Amino acid sequence: MKHAVVVLAAMLGAGAVQAADLLEIYRDATLSDTKFASARMQLEAGREKYPQARAGLLPTLTLSGSSTYNHVNATLPAEREYAFNSNTYTLQLVQPLFRWQNWVALRQGELQVGLAEAQYAAAQMDLMLRSAQAYFDLLNAQDVLNTVTQLKTAAGEQQQLSKKSFEVGTVTVTDVNDAQSRFDLASAQEIAAQNDVNVKREALRVLINKEPPELARLRQGMSLAQPLPADVEAWAQAAVKDNLDVQAQQIAREIAAREVERNRAGHLPTVDAVGTYSRNHSGNGSNNTPSQSRNWTVGVQASLPLFQGGATQSKVRESAALSEKSKEDLETVKRAASQLARQSYLGVTSGVAQVKGYEAAVLSSTSSLESNKLGYQVGVKINKDVLDAQSQLADAAQKLAKARYDTIMAQVKLKQSVGVLSIKDLEEVNALLDR
């Protein structure tokens, strides 16, 4: 069994000294990922919705002025002509007293801030998920390449051995051709695997905006736990309630419902307190007496919209339809969250079982390869038996590695589906790496 572990370590590749771990990749992504940077700016913009809405309830102060040139040509009671300037300055203060649509907009502003924060939290979880996915995708591609390279090397050794055995007459030409075929196939697989590594490395490079470093690999002998609670329905119900996309859509639904109320308020009267200070000055002409006046006014101004061409009713109907749409969108998001939780839960439970099965398969395949090699040396096994055993071990090792990565990602997605994925969860995954 000890020998099998050594063989598996060689096939999956050993971790490099001071290799970067998942937390380092995530930290680099938080600084470099453009999608996350966009979400951060969207949050800053969303937070401005509340002060914008609050402004509708606060006083407004307006300063206006005008300067007019006047030219007068009079004929009665006597003919005369003169010119002068009239200057007017007005300072007006308006304090809304009753504008129901503005109060509704204030509540909408609060909700829009909450929506922006929920969307940003979802973007943080999405970045954690994408960082882990890119990390393990590259590791898996490297594992496949290492395994195929090992298989190619073993096939090459077996090819040379079969040629020597053919020269002394202990094997047939069929064995030589079979070994050559396996070597050529492994060579082609190696090219494809190297290309996949390059693709996955580029995906990680885009995420962290620099050349990916050597990555820490999973520790040998690491174990994966089943989800707790061990009840798929409990996870599905938690997702319907706590999934961040669901929470964001619930806020969007409430905003849409209040938009109906805001548009209906277009039929209501508005009342404002208005204070005005104005100053007028008229210059003198040859027949004009200069004048100067100051005026203070304070009062209440009310307005009742009677008819606006049907625009208000149309806006009410539009917002009502969009409110109904938001309800359907919410149900869609809830179903998607429930489905994601169920799929992720099943991915974890089946993945843990698969890992155990593939671990046993690697051990048995390793023993089978050793037995076939020994049998070939003593003449009771043929070259094809050894090549088949090598391919079987390589296949089991690849599937074991992929099952581990898929199970870890299912755990991350399960936490994300119920809105609880955090840096602590990444730290727990990071603890599985050989650093």
Side-chain angles (χ1 to χ4, degrees):
M1 181 173 178
K2 180 178 179 181
H3 180 66
V5 172
V6 173
V7 172
L8 178 60
M11 299 186 76
L12 296 182
V17 177
Q18 295 184 348
D21 58 22
L22 178 58
L23 289 179
E24 293 178 50
I25 294 298
Y26 172 67
R27 283 193 289 266
D28 288 340
T30 59
L31 300 175
S32 304
D33 182 62
T34 55
K35 184 177 179 181
F36 184 64
S38 175
R40 187 164 50 244
M41 293 301 99
Q42 184 63 42
L43 173 63
E44 293 299 319
R47 285 174 173 167
E48 297 302 320
K49 293 296 184 180
Y50 179 75
Q52 291 173 14
R54 184 181 57 190
L57 300 176
L58 299 179
T60 58
L61 188 63
T62 305
L63 175 64
S64 61
S66 66
S67 179
T68 306
Y69 174 75
N70 302 271
H71 182 270
V72 180
N73 190 353
T75 59
L76 292 174
E79 185 175 346
R80 61 188 184 279
E81 181 178 353
Y82 57 92
F84 62 93
N85 281 336
S86 296
N87 301 313
T88 302
Y89 308 95
T90 302
L91 184 65
Q92 185 179 61
L93 176 67
V94 178
Q95 171 61 61
L97 298 179
F98 180 78
R99 288 180 177 262
W100 186 246
Q101 59 268 44
N102 291 7
W103 284 100
V104 177
L106 179 65
R107 178 53 181 157
Q108 284 182 310
E110 294 174 346
L111 292 171
Q112 286 169 331
V113 172
L115 176 60
E117 291 176 345
Q119 291 172 335
Y120 180 69
Q124 285 181 309
M125 290 190 186
D126 178 66
L127 182 62
M128 293 180 190
L129 178 64
R130 290 188 290 118
S131 298
Q133 189 71 67
Y135 187 96
F136 290 119
D137 279 351
L138 179 54
L139 279 189
N140 186 53
Q142 291 174 340
D143 287 344
V144 171
L145 177 60
N146 291 338
T147 302
V148 172
T149 301
Q150 291 288 332
L151 182 59
K152 176 186 174 183
T153 300
E157 294 173 352
Q158 201 64 27
Q159 178 194 35
Q160 296 300 320
L161 181 59
S162 65
K163 288 182 178 179
K164 292 180 180 179
S165 299
F166 176 73
E167 291 173 357
V168 298
T170 57
V171 300
T172 66
V173 69
T174 301
D175 294 316
V176 178
N177 292 337
D178 196 10
Q180 182 66 47
S181 175
R182 298 298 181 98
F183 178 79
D184 293 340
L185 178 61
S187 298
Q189 290 174 336
E190 184 181 39
I191 294 173
Q194 181 62 63
N195 180 69
D196 191 45
V197 168
N198 294 338
V199 171
K200 297 303 191 297
R201 180 178 287 115
E202 177 64 16
L204 184 57
R205 189 195 67 77
V206 170
L207 184 68
I208 62 177
N209 197 32
K210 65 180 182 180
E211 190 62 27
E214 186 69 23
L215 302 181
R217 299 180 179 274
L218 292 177
R219 287 186 288 102
Q220 295 302 318
M222 47 78 65
S223 60
L224 300 172
Q226 294 282 2
L228 292 176
D231 181 4
V232 65
E233 290 301 323
W235 287 96
Q237 292 175 9
V240 170
K241 178 182 177 183
D242 300 323
N243 180 275
L244 287 182
D245 289 337
V246 171
Q247 292 183 9
Q249 189 57 43
Q250 286 175 331
I251 297 175
R253 176 189 172 184
E254 187 171 353
I255 292 174
R258 290 183 179 272
E259 183 67 10
V260 178
E261 183 181 3
R262 191 181 73 84
N263 284 314
R264 283 177 178 160
H267 294 292
L268 300 178
T270 59
V271 182
D272 300 323
V274 181
T276 303
Y277 168 76
S278 61
R279 179 176 179 180
N280 302 297
H281 173 74
S282 297
N284 62 333
S286 59
N287 291 302
N288 179 49
T289 303
S291 65
Q292 182 173 332
S293 64
R294 298 179 182 180
N295 185 36
W296 292 86
T297 63
V298 177
V300 176
Q301 179 176 301
S303 174
L304 177 62
L306 298 178
F307 182 69
Q308 296 180 329
T312 301
Q313 294 90 332
S314 177
K315 289 180 180 180
V316 170
R317 292 193 299 270
E318 177 191 22
S319 57
L322 292 176
S323 179
E324 290 301 315
K325 175 183 177 298
S326 69
K327 293 180 182 179
E328 299 302 325
D329 291 341
L330 176 59
E331 182 61 27
T332 299
V333 173
K334 285 183 176 180
R335 293 180 185 181
S338 176
Q339 181 184 26
L340 176 60
R342 293 175 188 275
Q343 289 178 341
S344 301
Y345 179 90
L346 295 176
V348 176
T349 54
S350 64
V352 171
Q354 287 181 35
V355 167
K356 292 180 180 178
Y358 286 132
E359 286 175 344
V362 166
L363 293 177
S364 60
S365 297
T366 302
S367 299
S368 175
L369 176 59
E370 294 173 348
S371 299
N372 277 279
K373 284 183 176 180
L374 180 61
Y376 181 78
Q377 293 173 0
V378 299
V380 298
K381 291 288 186 178
I382 62 175
N383 187 55
K384 183 178 183 302
D385 295 329
V386 177
L387 294 175
D388 286 342
Q390 289 172 340
S391 297
Q392 181 177 326
L393 176 58
D395 182 65
Q398 288 183 21
K399 289 181 177 178
L400 172 59
K402 190 174 188 306
R404 283 174 171 167
Y405 298 138
D406 288 347
T407 304
I408 291 173
M409 288 309 305
Q411 290 176 330
V412 174
K413 291 177 181 178
L414 183 60
K415 293 292 185 67
Q416 183 201 32
S417 70
V418 296
V420 297
L421 181 62
S422 66
I423 191 66
K424 181 180 178 181
D425 297 299
L426 288 191
E427 291 172 350
E428 292 177 356
V429 174
N430 209 56
L432 302 175
L433 302 176
D434 187 8
R435 291 164 292 165

